[in-house]
Amino acid sequence: METGESPIPGKRYIVERERADGLREATVKTLFKDDEGKFWLLPESNDPRHQQPIDLSGGDNDIVRIVGRVTFSVQRET
């Protein structure tokens, strides 16, 4: 990230993930640090296909980049 700020667990980040097959996606995830000190990206999806945590170290030959931190969001009331 341009600011040089270290990622903070509990904050939401814009994440770019590039898979080994070339597929690239950008999403918003919450950063989580487990009891062993390992960082994970937690999805906030309601879709069961997209609810698995993502290993920040980029397992499965994926490249994972944090490209920005979410500082403000607006949600419509339902």
Side-chain angles (χ1 to χ4, degrees), residues 8-17 19 25-32 40-45 49-56 64-66 68-70:
I8 303 166
K11 299 288 185 183
R12 297 169 77 206
Y13 290 91
I14 301 165
V15 176
E16 183 179 81
R17 182 179 181 189
R19 297 180 186 212
E25 65 179 340
T27 58
V28 174
K29 305 278 189 258
T30 301
L31 184 65
F32 175 77
W40 297 88
L41 297 166
L42 304 180
E44 299 178 15
S45 176
R49 296 174 297 166
H50 304 290
Q51 292 179 341
Q52 293 298 319
I54 297 171
D55 183 348
L56 187 56
V64 179
R65 297 178 195 92
I66 295 177
R69 182 167 59 91
V70 176

